[in-house]
């Protein structure tokens, strides 16, 4: 796919990204994403890749990002499976995008969001606030994966899943970012 300045402007790209793009001799989307990766423009890669994905790819992307950090939540809250159920609901949607599975994904997203909210509240009252906040961010990523399946605004949900995963990753943030970027590029190759 060819990327143009007009397309990026229409998408609402930030000034810095537009300036960077103007200085490129490349317009091929995948080549641009790889170049941005080399230059460590993680936010731009997520932003553009998600806008180029179809809904199925956005949901796959959101699921992938949430699963990268789900273990953080499950270690902190082993008896709460709401985030896992949200991811499973998103997977069910991918297998069968029926009205029932869309509704189930919406319900699961709401439940996982409530779990994330509870975990964020607990984070402020604990000695291990950083870990609790990471667990909450992981639950948010799961909620966003289900929301991507349930929502017409799947781009926002997929993007939020990625950012929540970055926040959950904490000390492994760079490693998680690299995996997420690679997944975005991989998904666009099979579009």
């Amino acid at each position: 796919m060819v990327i143009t300045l007009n397309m990026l402007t229409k998408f609402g790209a930030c000034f810095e990204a537009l300036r960077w793009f103007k200085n490129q001799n490349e317009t091929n989307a995948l080549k641009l994403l790889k170049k941005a990766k080399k230059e460590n423009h993680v936010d731009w890669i997520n932003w553009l890749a998600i806008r180029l994905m179809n809904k199925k790819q956005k949901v796959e992307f959101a699921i992938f990002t949430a699963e990268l950090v789900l273990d953080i939540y499950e270690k902190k809250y082993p008896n709460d499976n709401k985030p896992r159920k949200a991811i499973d609901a998103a997977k069910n949607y991918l297998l069968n995008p029926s009205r029932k599975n869309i509704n189930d994904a919406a319900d699961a997203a709401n439940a996982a969001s409530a779990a994330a909210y509870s975990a964020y509240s607990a984070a402020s009252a604990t000695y291990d606030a950083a870990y609790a906040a990471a667990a909450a961010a992981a639950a948010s990523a799961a909620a966003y994966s289900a929301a991507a399946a349930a929502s017409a605004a799947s781009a926002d949900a997929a993007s939020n899943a990625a950012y929540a995963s970055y926040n959950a990753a904490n000390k492994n943030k760079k490693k998680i970012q690299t995996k997420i970027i690679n997944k975005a590029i991989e998904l666009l190759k099979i579009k």
Side-chain angles (χ1 to χ4, degrees), residues 30-191:
L30 286 173
K31 290 180 181 177
L32 279 169
L33 290 171
K34 288 178 182 177
K35 186 166 188 177
K37 178 183 172 186
K38 284 182 186 172
E39 296 179 22
N40 201 30
H41 295 298
V42 174
D43 290 347
W44 298 353
I45 296 166
N46 281 329
W47 181 88
L48 180 58
I50 289 167
R51 280 153 184 79
L52 299 176
M53 291 177 188
N54 61 38
K55 179 160 181 171
K56 181 179 184 237
Q57 289 169 319
K58 290 172 189 171
V59 175
E60 284 182 52
F61 182 70
I63 291 167
F64 176 81
T65 62
E67 287 183 327
L68 285 174
V69 295
L70 181 62
D71 66 310
I72 297 169
Y73 185 85
E74 291 179 334
K75 284 177 187 168
K76 181 77 175 163
Y77 302 101
N79 297 322
D80 186 352
N81 64 356
K82 287 188 267 320
R84 180 163 298 282
K85 283 184 175 181
I87 293 170
D88 290 344
K91 288 178 178 180
N92 286 338
Y93 166 83
L94 283 179
L95 294 173
N96 179 13
S98 67
R99 173 57 47 201
K100 179 191 179 317
N101 283 341
I102 290 171
N103 291 338
D104 289 350
D107 291 344
N110 289 334
S113 290
Y117 180 77
S118 294
Y120 280 120
S121 295
S124 63
T126 182
Y127 292 110
D128 196 5
Y131 185 73
S140 291
Y144 286 124
S145 73
S151 171
S154 56
D156 290 340
S159 177
N160 290 337
Y163 291 114
S165 295
Y166 294 161
N167 291 333
N170 225 351
K171 62 185 174 197
N172 292 322
K173 188 173 186 175
K174 191 75 171 164
K175 182 179 173 184
I176 294 295
Q177 284 177 332
T178 300
K179 286 181 178 186
I180 290 172
I181 290 166
N182 290 341
K183 182 64 171 185
I185 291 170
E186 173 193 321
L187 284 168
L188 287 171
K189 286 180 183 176
I190 59 171
K191 188 171 185 179

